[in-house]
């Protein structure tokens, strides 16, 4: 018995969402459900080949059209509830599809928000069609969650261009990307003040993808080297010295979409566990009739509801221009990813030996969910970030509560 819906319709009916979100959820859910044979195919392919194929397919079928706002006015380029619903549906259906969608959106969004008209015209139409693949290159061996520690150097030249030297590590889509959004140190100031964002085509001499990585959930993943890699002044995204602002703005917005992907994984795991428990017999009883099974399924339901509400609230805050959106984005990512890990683990436990069989739904989910607690801000960093917002809340409390 295969689950057929990525969404909780009661959550979608809440005022966090509008009718356009509900229509979108129905459309992408139906699209994903109708491609079950394709998902099996891409899992058997080399991750790089699968990545190229999926980005192209998502573009051809219109799911990336919002990455070119000028040709898709009114699209979800600034609507993170829509982006989150798309990630939730794709993650429910197939991890690689969510990965392809999310990295393409992650790479295009800084161009949408900070690019010049020439940069937008050059990159966005092709990214929206899936004919040009993007990647976001910020992390390094010694600079993961601490963006201010980026060490890749970009030395200015007399003609206004820059020469990049150094390394980037753990880059999603490295090796298949056509253009990289790169955060490098240009030295306008110390720490976060001295970073600049660049758009670096993959064909730029001196840029090389290497050490392609085998990770728990296979995908296009590698390190990058920059050796006397020259880029013109037109490669600067935004303004020199604003790279930290661009990177943090991007990550603070996309963190809640990571929570949405976790929600898709978790709901698929819970649906699979429930379907199994209804048909698996233990003596004269079904597994679902046992008290411990009921307790486990109830805990899954509570965690799913709480995660869905936090993700919806974070998207609502972003889309309504709240200054507090970064706090809620971090809360949504932390809770949804941590609880999704619990839900997937519980599903594996309920399925027993069938839950760890190679290429079963729960075995795949068990591998796929783990990285979400790390990338775009580890759970530990999220806790510190959230804790850092508590003083602002304290300042708004009446004196009698202090």
């Amino acid at each position: 018995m295969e689950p057929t819906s990525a969404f909780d319709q009661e959550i979608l009916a809440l005022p966090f969402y509008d009718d356009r979100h509900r229509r979108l959820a129905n459309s992408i859910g139906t699209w994903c459900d109708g491609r079950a044979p394709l998902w099996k195919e891409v899992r058997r392919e080399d991750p790089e080949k699968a990545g190229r194929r999926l980005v192209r397919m998502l573009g051809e079928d219109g799911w990336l059209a919002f990455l070119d706002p000028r040709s898709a006015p009114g699209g979800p380029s600034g609507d993170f509830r829509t982006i989150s619903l798309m990630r939730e549906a794709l993650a429910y259906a197939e991890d690689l599809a969510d990965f392809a969608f999310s990295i393409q959106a992650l790479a295009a969004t800084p161009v949408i928000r900070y690019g010049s008209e020439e940069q937008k015209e050059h990159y966005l139409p092709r990214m929206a069609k899936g004919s040009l693949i993007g990647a976001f290159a910020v992390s390094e061996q010694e600079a993961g969650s601490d963006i201010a520690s980026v060490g890749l150097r970009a030395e200015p030249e007399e003609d206004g261009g820059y020469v990049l030297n150094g390394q980037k590590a753990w880059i999603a889509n490295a090796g298949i990307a056509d253009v990289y959004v790169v955060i490098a140190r240009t030295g306008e100031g110390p720490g976060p003040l001295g970073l600049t964002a660049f758009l670096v085509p993959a064909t730029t001499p001196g840029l090389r993808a290497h050490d392609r990585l085998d990770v728990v959930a296979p995908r296009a993943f590698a390190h990058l080297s920059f050796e006397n890699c020259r880029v013109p002044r037109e490669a600067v995204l935004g303004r020199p010295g604003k790279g930290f602002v661009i990177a943090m703005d991007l990550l603070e917005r996309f963190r809640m979409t990571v929570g949405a992907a976790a929600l898709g994984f978790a709901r698929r795991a819970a649906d699979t566990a429930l379907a199994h428990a209804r048909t698996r017999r233990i003596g004269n009883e079904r597994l679902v009739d046992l008290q411990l099974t009921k307790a486990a399924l109830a805990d899954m339901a509570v965690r799913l509801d709480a995660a869905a509400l936090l993700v919806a609230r974070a998207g609502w805050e972003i889309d309504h221009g709240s200054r507090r959106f970064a706090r809620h984005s971090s809360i949504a990512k932390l809770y949804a990813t941590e609880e999704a890990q619990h839900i997937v683990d519980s599903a594996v436990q309920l399925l027993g030996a069938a839950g760890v069989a190679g290429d079963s739904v729960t075995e795949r989910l068990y591998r796929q969910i783990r990285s979400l607690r790390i990338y775009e801000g580890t759970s530990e960093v999220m806790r510190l970030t959230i804790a850092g917002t508590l003083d602002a809340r304290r300042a708004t409390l009446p004196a009698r509560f202090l």
Side-chain angles (χ1 to χ4, degrees), residues 30-60:
T30 300
W31 183 86
C32 288
D33 288 348
R35 279 153 183 78
L38 173 66
W39 307 141
K40 292 180 181 179
E41 284 182 28
V42 297
R43 283 185 220 120
R44 292 193 292 266
E45 293 179 343
D46 173 82
E48 293 190 355
K49 180 181 178 182
R52 293 188 184 95
R53 179 180 181 182
L54 287 166
V55 172
R56 184 172 63 251
M57 181 184 69
L58 288 165
E60 290 174 349

Side-chain angles (χ1 to χ4, degrees), residues 215-229:
V215 289
V216 173
R219 60 201 47 201
F221 214 35
H223 300 322
L224 296 175
S225 290
F226 298 80
E227 298 175 4
N228 295 321
C229 181

